[in-house]
């Protein structure tokens, strides 16, 4: 991998909640290509990066950037755009009141952006209708933490994942979604004489199972039953910590009673959760036998109509055994976005104030109001994401500002969300990328400075505040979100309240608010960063990663919370929560399968940035639907065929991947594809908007659906040197490669007929044409000076034989040698080994290369593969897949 020059800036990765430290060279020009490296001094990653983090530099390009403000699709100056925004904002408030205004933000905003957004809305515009994509992400954990601990606080730290003797991953595909934590866990397992026992609880067999001793393929949605059963089992087997129960908790008896109702014995649990009794008992014994147990969870827990209860069912078991906030022994929520935590600290959700102050404590409203000198302080919580968009639909909300999130792709029932935005009188979208599906609904588009171009802080999953630092100038006319928000505040007449000159000004105010009436001895609130309230600009610039709380300048931060058994509930004791059985959406005759959705290894959410890096597009290049062989067979669906998935909300057409990693009755689709890169890949148009009753977080993991084979009359693959609009066909996907773009297309009629002549018109007639009658494919090649400009292959069947990754290499500007035209038209390399589907993103090693090497060179381990091909030796994200390839060949050879 490319080394960074010694003079580099330390910053934090733009993506997940692990919050890895990154080093990047200082760039004078915005266009300069950047290579980033892991920061070996950062306590989250100690130099490691995953595939997405390593490719950050490749995403810092002009392609797709929103360069200047736009009003109704036309370029405007900043002045005009802000004037228009403020004019409409004032008009809306005058005519319809402040509640008709909303802001929908993001856990990817920096703390400083978030703080200003919250202050502007809740204190000055006077509307609590500010919610964020964290509602789709962490809301159930926030609600669960508050119920149990009286405060939204993650007790543990990353080291606990390494210290645990038993590590339980619930609804978390850590290998793909928190890859550097997964690497840390793997490294610690390899170092330890006695490795930890690892349990993975997930309806799907994910790559995280690579390190599992026990995999529990749980029936979707039944986690509370499993953990209620654990509580009962612990009690029956004398494994509860009576002293801890007495001193530090309340409500155990009630919780146990309820748990007994849903989960009286292992047999009942096994039956309800779809597991074997042996496995359930094995899990319970592992939990009971290891004092040092960490239970880590993510969206398989949160994104559920019983999400908050799942969180508390887990925490109940930790409370019963006194395992909270101790080294290697704690419940641990893994946050998704880089600053989901920072957003929670500034109170970015509609039902929070700021700095862990609460609406339900009347003094708190007054406190914030006084501190901000707010003329229009809100008194009530506002609308949360799903309801907020419903209020846009009904016309109650007439002005919405969307910042750092892409709800037309990521909200459930997404077609309805899109329709609501299309009729909303004013939609403002701040994004660094154009176009996005949401940006296309905007009346006013504001270009936001992106990662690498702005300064501020983020908080990761272990409460660690790190600096994001700017190391290159903003692209085009982009400005930082905090600065845009502050300017709007000033134009609304609040010059003093929004007089910030730099992010440090905002941060100091946020830190001061955290210390307001928050005596370091009495500790009414745990979120306290008063120790950072007096940082000078220079100290802020140099701020090193630190874990809150830190209450004074001499305080170095806090690794773990609640080890003293004291909590932030009125009684100071942690609360057990009785957990009942929840009946959520079930499969029906019409919709007999449950759709699970989630993430893939190399893409980030709606792909606005990761899809810019060709190497991140090769691991999974098309939107797909994983389904079990039994469900495929009964519907006549073949592997790689197209399949329609439909719910009562919407439908999507995806490429079938037949695998026994998903169970019969379930299907899985990635959340990432959008209308920008696919015709029908937006899976959220299928996802139902059912929400958890406490957190109001949508259940994105369990939508009842039906599926059927999609019968296309024509299929095509097109590779072009230059980007072209996605043709209007029934199925279409655009994949960016190195120096080329690939289009996978299909149509139920003859929609592809015109494509060749269209390309002829655009690219000229320098072509070679060939009718491959054996395969029934018509092939056309456009050449310019002997170099491939475009190749199109159209047939009645999906052209599986065509080796796309090899064909793409012919378009690379640094392609070593130009192949002859007949080689290109053959679509498969005539000699040597085809790379095949990419497995290792860091070194670009394909599946065929790996399997050939395993066979021909008798490779026996992942290490052997690494030594021979380098695959798996950088970020390690592909190690589970390498092992699967090895095992498959070893099984075959036996
Ligand atoms: N590569 C990559 N990494 C990311 C992101 C990304 O977009 N791409 N996004 C980041 C963000 S914002 C987030 S929130 C995190 C999410 O990180 P994860 O939560 O790990 O990711 P998901 O794939 O959404 O879902 C995790 C697992 O929950 C399982 N699951 C579904 N239903 C159930 C159930 O009922 N019970 C249990 N126990 N499990 C269930 C799914 O099968 C899936 O494997 O990832 C972060 N990291
Ligand atoms: N089906 C399904 N849907 C899901 C999920 C799921 O598991 N399944 N997961 C949910 C979860 S957990 C999450 S977190 C959401 C994520 O969903 P979104 O938040 O909608 O996805 P992103 O692509 O991260 O959107 C971020 C946007 O902000 C832009 N951006 C980047 N940096 C900046 C910046 O500094 N300022 C501004 N103004 N804009 C910026 C990006 O270009 C992008 O358009 O999706 C949710 N939706
Ligand atoms: S694990 Fe990967 S995506 Fe997450 S912060 Fe680290 S480098 Fe970035
Ligand atoms: Mo998330």
């Amino acid at each position: 991998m490319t080394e960074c020059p010694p003079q580099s800036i330390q910053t934090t990765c733009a993506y997940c909640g692990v919050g890895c430290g990154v080093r990047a060279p200082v760039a004078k020009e915005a266009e300069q290509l950047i290579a980033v490296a892991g920061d070996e001094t950062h306590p989250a990653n100690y130099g490691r990066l995953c595939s997405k983090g390593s490719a950050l530099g490749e995403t810092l390009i002009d392609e797709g950037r929103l360069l200047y403000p736009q009003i109704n699709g036309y370029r405007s100056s900043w002045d005009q755009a802000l004037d228009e925004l403020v004019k409409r904002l004032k008009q809306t408030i005058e005519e319809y009141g402040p509640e008709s205004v909303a802001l929908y933000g993001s856990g990817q905003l920096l703390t400083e952006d978030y703080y200003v957004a919250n202050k502007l809305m809740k204190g000055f515009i006077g509307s609590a209708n500010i919610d964020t994509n964290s509602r789709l992400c962490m809301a159930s954990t926030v609600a669960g933490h508050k119920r149990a601990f009286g405060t939204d606080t993650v007790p543990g730290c990353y080291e606990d994942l390494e210290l645990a003797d038993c590590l339980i991953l619930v609804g978390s595909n850590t290998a793909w979604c928190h890859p550097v934590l997964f690497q840390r866990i793997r490294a610690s397992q390899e170092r330890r004489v006695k490795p930890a026992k690892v349990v993975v609880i997930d309806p799907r067999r994910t790559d995280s199972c690579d390190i599992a001793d026990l995999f529990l393929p749980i029936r979707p949605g039944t986690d509370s039953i499993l953990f209620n059963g654990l509580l009962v089992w612990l009690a029956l087997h004398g494994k509860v910590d009576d002293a801890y129960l007495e001193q530090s908790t309340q409500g155990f008896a009630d919780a146990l009673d309820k748990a007994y109702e849903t989960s009286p014995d292992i047999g009942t649990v096994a039956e309800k959760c779809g597991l074997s009794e042996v496995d359930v008992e094995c899990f319970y014994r592992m939990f009971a036998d290891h004092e040092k147990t960490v239970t880590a969870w993510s969206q398989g827990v949160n994104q559920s109509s019983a999400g908050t209860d799942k969180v508390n069912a887990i925490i109940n078991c930790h409370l019963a055994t006194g395992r909270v906030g101790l080294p290697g022994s704690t419940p641990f929520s893994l946050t998704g976005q880089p600053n989901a935590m920072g957003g929670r600290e500034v109170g970015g959700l509609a039902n929070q104030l700021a700095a862990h102050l609460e609406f339900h404590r009347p003094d708190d409203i007054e406190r914030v109001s006084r501190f901000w000198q707010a003329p229009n302080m809100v008194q009530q919580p506002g609308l949360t994401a799903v309801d907020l968009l419903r209020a846009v639909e009904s016309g109650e909300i007439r002005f919405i500002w969307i910042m750092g999130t892409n709800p037309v792709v990521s909200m459930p029932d997404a077609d309805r969300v899109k329709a609501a935005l299309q009729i909303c009188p004013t939609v403002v979208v701040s994004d660094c990328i154009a176009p996005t599906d949401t940006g296309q609904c905007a009346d006013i588009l504001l270009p936001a400075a992106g990662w690498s171009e702005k300064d501020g802080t983020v908080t990761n999953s272990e409460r660690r505040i790190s600096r994001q630092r700017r190391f290159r100038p903003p692209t085009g006319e982009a400005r930082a979100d905090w600065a845009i928000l502050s300017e709007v505040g000033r134009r609304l007449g609040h010059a003093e309240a929004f007089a910030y000159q730099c992010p440090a000004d905002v941060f100091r105010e946020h830190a001061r608010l955290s210390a307001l009436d928050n005596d370091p001895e009495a500790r009414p609130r745990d979120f306290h960063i008063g120790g950072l309230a007096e940082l000078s600009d220079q100290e802020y610039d140099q701020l090193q990663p630190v874990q809150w709380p830190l209450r004074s300048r001499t305080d170095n931060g806090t690794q773990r919370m609640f080890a003293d058994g004291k909590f932030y509930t009125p009684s100071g004791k942690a609360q057990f929560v009785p957990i009942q059985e929840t009946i959520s959406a079930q499969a029906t005759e019409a919709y007999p399968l449950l759709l699970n959705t989630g993430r893939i290894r190399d893409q980030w959410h709606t792909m606005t940035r990761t899809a810019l890096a060709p190497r991140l597009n090769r691991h999974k290049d098309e939107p797909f639907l994983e389904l079990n062989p039994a469900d495929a067979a009964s519907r006549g669906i073949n592997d790689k065929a197209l399949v329609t998935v439909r719910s009562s909300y919407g439908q999507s057409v995806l490429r079938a991947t037949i695998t026994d990693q998903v169970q019969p009755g379930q299907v899985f689709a990635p959340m990432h594809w959008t209308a920008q890169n696919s015709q029908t890949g937006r899976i959220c148009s299928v996802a139902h908007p059912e929400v958890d009753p406490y957190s109001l977080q949508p259940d994105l993991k369990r939508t009842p659906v039906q599926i059927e084979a999609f019968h296309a009359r024509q299929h095509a693959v097109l590779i072009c040197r230059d980007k072209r609009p996605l043709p209007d066909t029934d199925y279409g996907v655009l994949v960016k490669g190195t120096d080329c773009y690939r289009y996978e297309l299909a149509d139920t009629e003859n929609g592809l007929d015109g494509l060749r002549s269209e390309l002829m018109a655009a690219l000229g007639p320098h072509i070679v044409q060939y009718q491959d009658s054996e395969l029934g494919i018509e092939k056309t090649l456009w050449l310019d000076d002997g170099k491939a400009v475009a190749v199109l292959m159209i047939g009645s069947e999906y052209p599986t034989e065509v080796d796309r990754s090899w064909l793409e290499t012919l378009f690379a500007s640094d392609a070593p040698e130009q192949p002859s035209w007949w080689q290109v038209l053959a679509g498969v390399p005539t000699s040597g080994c085809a790379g095949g589907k990419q497995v290792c993103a860091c070194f670009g090693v394909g599946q065929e290369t790996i399997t050939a090497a395993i066979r021909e060179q008798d490779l026996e381990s992942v290490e052997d593969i690494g030594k021979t091909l380098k695959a798996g030796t950088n970020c390690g994200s592909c190690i589970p897949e390498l092992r699967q390839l090895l095992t498959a060949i070893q099984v075959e050879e036996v």
Side-chain angles (χ1 to χ4, degrees):
M1 293 281 88
T2 342
E3 297 276 311
C4 267
Q7 268 138 358
S8 56
I9 288 268
Q10 289 171 296
T11 182
T12 313
C13 178
Y15 303 121
C16 85
V18 178
C20 295
V22 168
R23 280 182 189 276
V26 182
K28 290 208 180 62
E29 308 290 334
E31 311 76 73
Q32 202 172 322
L33 254 187
I34 303 279
V36 305
D39 178 356
E40 62 296 334
T41 66
H42 197 288
N45 58 320
Y46 299 106
R48 298 175 174 96
L49 290 180
C50 74
S51 50
K52 296 182 299 303
S54 319
L56 268 168
E58 287 155 56
T59 67
L60 302 180
I61 52 177
D62 283 356
E63 182 176 341
R65 281 299 295 261
L66 178 59
L67 298 171
Y68 40 77
Q70 292 177 28
I71 304 172
N72 299 327
Y74 294 99
R75 179 173 185 166
S76 78
S77 68
W78 267 106
D79 243 350
Q80 288 165 325
L82 292 170
D83 275 350
E84 181 70 17
L85 188 159
V86 169
K87 186 183 87 190
R88 290 180 180 222
L89 186 55
K90 280 184 174 162
Q91 266 173 4
T92 313
I93 296 171
E94 255 162 47
E95 279 181 51
Y96 301 94
E99 283 81 28
S100 62
V101 172
L103 194 148
Y104 184 58
S106 166
Q108 291 166 70
L109 296 171
L110 305 185
T111 300
E112 292 74 4
D113 302 324
Y114 233 135
Y115 178 88
V116 181
N118 192 47
K119 178 176 176 181
L120 180 66
M121 284 297 288
K122 294 197 183 124
F124 292 79
I125 288 177
S127 166
N129 293 330
I130 164 171
D131 212 43
T132 89
N133 62 2
S134 285
R135 183 69 55 193
L136 317 178
C137 183
M138 303 312 304
S140 296
T141 288
V142 174
H145 279 161
K146 283 191 187 171
R147 290 203 299 188
F149 308 144
T151 179
D152 171 28
T153 300
V154 176
C157 61
Y158 294 160
E159 193 187 54
D160 295 330
L161 300 166
E162 298 163 331
L163 295 176
D165 293 324
C166 176
L167 175 61
I168 303 160
L169 301 176
V170 196
S172 158
N173 186 5
T174 325
W176 282 9
C177 297
H178 296 91
V180 165
L181 289 184
F182 195 74
Q183 285 181 48
R184 283 183 62 166
I185 296 165
R186 185 198 294 284
S188 122
Q189 291 287 77
E190 285 165 3
R191 254 190 335 256
R192 286 169 63 155
V193 184
K194 199 164 168 235
K197 293 285 179 207
V198 179
V199 185
V200 171
I201 306 176
D202 194 310
R204 281 190 313 149
R205 179 180 284 278
T206 62
D207 273 16
S208 303
C209 295
D210 195 44
I211 57 165
D213 297 280
L214 177 66
F215 167 50
L216 298 180
I218 193 167
R219 177 170 294 145
T222 60
D223 303 73
S224 299
I225 305 288
L226 182 67
F227 282 88
N228 265 359
L230 175 58
L231 193 69
V232 171
W233 197 90
L234 292 168
L236 284 177
H237 291 79
K239 300 287 187 181
V240 296
D241 182 339
D242 292 320
Y244 189 84
L245 285 187
E246 174 64 30
Q247 275 160 29
S248 301
T249 72
Q250 276 175 333
F252 176 65
D254 285 350
L256 187 60
D257 277 355
K258 272 280 172 290
Y260 193 79
E261 277 173 27
T262 71
S263 315
D265 51 53
I266 285 185
T268 312
V269 172
E271 159 105 43
K272 289 185 179 177
C273 299
L275 300 168
S276 78
E277 289 189 27
V278 176
D279 281 355
V280 174
E281 181 164 356
C282 179
F283 165 51
Y284 288 178
R285 284 193 190 282
M286 276 188 193
F287 188 100
D289 291 347
H290 296 97
E291 194 56 42
K292 288 190 173 179
T293 292
V294 169
T295 308
W297 70 87
S298 196
Q299 298 315 346
V301 168
N302 294 335
Q303 283 172 349
S304 162
S305 51
T308 310
D309 277 354
K310 287 189 187 185
V311 170
N312 288 108
I314 293 170
I315 295 176
N316 280 350
C317 295
H318 277 266
L319 289 174
T321 45
R323 298 174 189 168
V324 180
L326 303 174
S329 194
T330 191
F332 200 140
S333 127
L334 300 174
T335 39
Q337 301 180 87
N339 200 30
M341 295 284 274
R344 285 144 73 174
E345 290 148 23
V346 302
L349 293 164
N351 53 332
Q352 302 176 319
L353 284 170
H356 283 200
L357 292 154
E358 296 283 355
F359 275 107
H360 63 254
R361 294 193 293 247
D363 290 355
D364 281 4
I365 301 178
E366 187 276 325
R367 261 187 198 108
V368 183
S369 176
R370 172 169 33 107
F371 181 80
W372 282 342
Q373 302 201 1
N376 299 312
M377 189 66 203
V378 295
Q379 303 295 321
Q380 302 279 341
L383 295 170
T384 58
V386 172
D387 288 341
L388 191 139
L389 267 305
R390 286 287 152 81
V392 172
E393 181 186 72
S394 68
E396 279 161 78
I397 286 176
R398 308 182 59 87
F399 180 111
I400 184 166
W401 190 350
I402 299 169
M403 197 178 291
T405 178
N406 197 356
V408 170
V409 185
S410 57
M411 283 273 288
D413 200 2
D415 292 345
R416 194 163 164 188
V417 169
K418 183 175 167 188
L421 291 178
Q422 281 169 334
I423 57 166
C424 182
T426 302
V427 178
V428 182
V429 173
S430 296
D431 204 296
C432 21
I433 297 293
T436 67
D437 291 10
T438 304
Q440 285 178 335
C441 303
D443 303 288
I444 301 176
L445 265 176
L446 301 176
W451 185 82
S452 80
E453 302 171 347
K454 64 198 272 200
D455 276 302
T457 52
V458 289
T459 308
N460 73 4
S461 297
E462 59 168 358
R463 283 174 284 106
R464 192 180 295 279
I465 299 171
S466 292
R467 278 294 317 272
Q468 269 200 18
R469 293 186 178 86
R470 164 184 162 137
F471 57 89
R472 52 204 282 282
T475 306
E477 295 178 11
R479 293 187 187 175
D481 293 299
W482 69 266
I484 304 171
L485 286 155
S486 303
E487 179 62 26
V488 168
R490 291 192 291 268
R491 284 175 188 236
L492 286 172
H494 311 297
E496 221 173 291
F498 295 94
Y500 313 113
Q501 295 296 309
C502 59
D505 286 344
V506 183
F507 186 81
R508 283 184 289 258
E509 184 179 311
H510 162 56
R512 276 206 317 279
L513 176 55
S514 79
L516 181 74
D517 301 335
N518 195 0
D519 175 41
E521 296 306 316
R523 303 188 173 183
R525 305 190 305 275
D526 59 353
F527 180 69
H528 192 314
I529 52 167
L532 303 174
E534 306 297 327
L535 292 182
S536 66
D537 288 354
Q538 198 189 5
E539 285 169 322
Y540 176 78
D541 270 345
Q542 291 165 355
L543 182 67
Q544 291 305 303
V546 62
Q547 283 171 290
W548 65 259
L550 67 165
R551 296 182 170 89
S552 69
R553 274 192 88 99
T554 52
D555 189 341
N556 290 325
T558 313
Q559 213 180 355
R560 298 185 178 83
M561 299 289 286
F562 311 137
D564 58 1
K566 298 211 174 77
F567 295 87
Y568 287 80
T569 53
S571 65
K573 294 183 173 190
Q575 298 293 318
F576 279 92
V577 181
I579 305 298
Q580 317 198 12
E581 197 159 344
T582 314
I583 311 293
S584 47
Q586 299 293 329
T588 61
E589 211 174 307
Y591 299 103
L593 302 165
L594 288 178
L595 170 70
N596 177 4
T597 62
R599 289 154 175 81
I600 61 173
R601 195 188 75 189
D602 291 351
Q603 294 296 347
W604 177 260
H605 295 163
T606 71
M607 299 169 79
T608 60
R609 290 168 291 165
T610 38
L612 294 170
R615 66 165 139 148
L616 297 181
N617 295 332
R618 295 193 189 112
H619 182 237
K620 304 272 182 200
D621 56 1
E622 270 184 88
F624 58 87
L625 186 79
E626 287 181 350
L627 70 165
N628 187 273
D631 291 320
S634 62
R635 292 169 177 82
I637 296 167
N638 297 324
D639 196 40
K640 295 209 168 124
L642 293 174
V643 48
T644 306
V645 51
R646 199 177 288 119
S647 69
S648 50
Y649 299 89
Q651 69 171 41
S652 182
V653 179
L654 308 165
R655 183 83 57 201
T657 301
I658 299 178
T659 168
D660 55 14
Q661 296 185 342
V662 299
Q663 299 178 54
Q666 299 172 29
V667 291
F668 174 84
M671 63 168 289
H672 306 287
W673 272 269
T674 72
Q676 306 307 313
N677 53 23
S678 72
Q679 294 291 6
T680 56
R682 264 170 63 241
I683 199 64
C684 274
S685 58
V686 182
H688 65 178
E690 195 172 309
V691 298
D692 175 272
Y694 306 101
S695 66
L696 304 171
Q697 174 160 358
D699 187 330
L700 290 158
K701 298 286 190 251
R702 259 179 68 98
T703 303
V705 294
Q706 50 175 248
I707 61 170
E708 66 185 6
F710 173 90
H711 296 291
R713 188 182 281 193
Q714 293 180 313
H715 293 264
V717 50
L718 165 69
I719 304 179
C720 293
R721 199 159 65 188
D722 297 320
K723 193 171 179 177
R724 302 181 49 78
L726 195 58
D728 185 18
T729 46
D730 293 334
Y731 178 83
V733 175
L734 162 59
V735 190
K736 183 184 178 192
T738 309
D739 301 319
C740 67
Y741 295 84
R742 173 156 58 90
Y743 301 77
E744 294 288 344
L745 308 165
D747 205 79
T748 48
E749 300 294 331
N750 295 325
L752 292 169
D753 278 352
L755 188 58
R756 204 172 131 264
S757 39
E758 227 175 83
L759 287 164
M760 293 267 243
L763 303 172
H766 303 278
I767 58 163
V768 186
Q769 229 178 309
Y770 172 66
Q771 187 70 36
D772 189 334
S773 35
E774 199 181 316
L775 296 174
I777 306 181
E778 186 193 74
K779 301 177 173 181
T780 313
L781 169 68
W782 282 262
L783 290 164
D784 180 16
D785 219 6
K787 288 208 163 201
V789 175
V791 57
L792 171 69
M793 305 195 177
I794 300 187
S796 54
E797 299 289 325
Y798 174 68
T800 17
E801 308 69 24
V802 175
D803 185 338
R804 286 130 170 103
S805 52
W806 175 78
L807 264 184
E808 281 182 23
T809 61
L810 306 179
F811 285 77
S813 54
D814 59 354
E817 215 177 306
Q818 283 307 312
S820 60
W821 60 262
W822 59 266
Q823 254 183 312
V824 180
L825 288 179
V828 281
T830 43
S831 61
C833 178
K837 182 189 89 80
Q838 179 174 280
V839 175
C840 170
C842 296
F843 297 106
V845 191
Q847 184 168 329
E848 307 294 329
T849 313
I850 297 163
T851 45
I854 297 173
R855 287 212 172 88
E856 286 155 23
Q857 303 182 47
D858 290 331
L859 307 183
E860 286 179 351
S861 63
V862 169
E863 291 72 34
D864 284 354
I865 301 178
K867 278 186 211 136
T868 316
L869 301 168
K870 286 174 107 177
T873 56
N874 183 50
C875 83
S877 294
C878 64
I879 290 176
E881 227 171 306
L882 296 178
R883 206 185 314 281
Q884 285 157 23
L885 291 174
L886 263 174
T887 314
I889 293 174
Q890 281 158 358
V891 168
E892 190 186 292
E893 286 174 352
V894 168

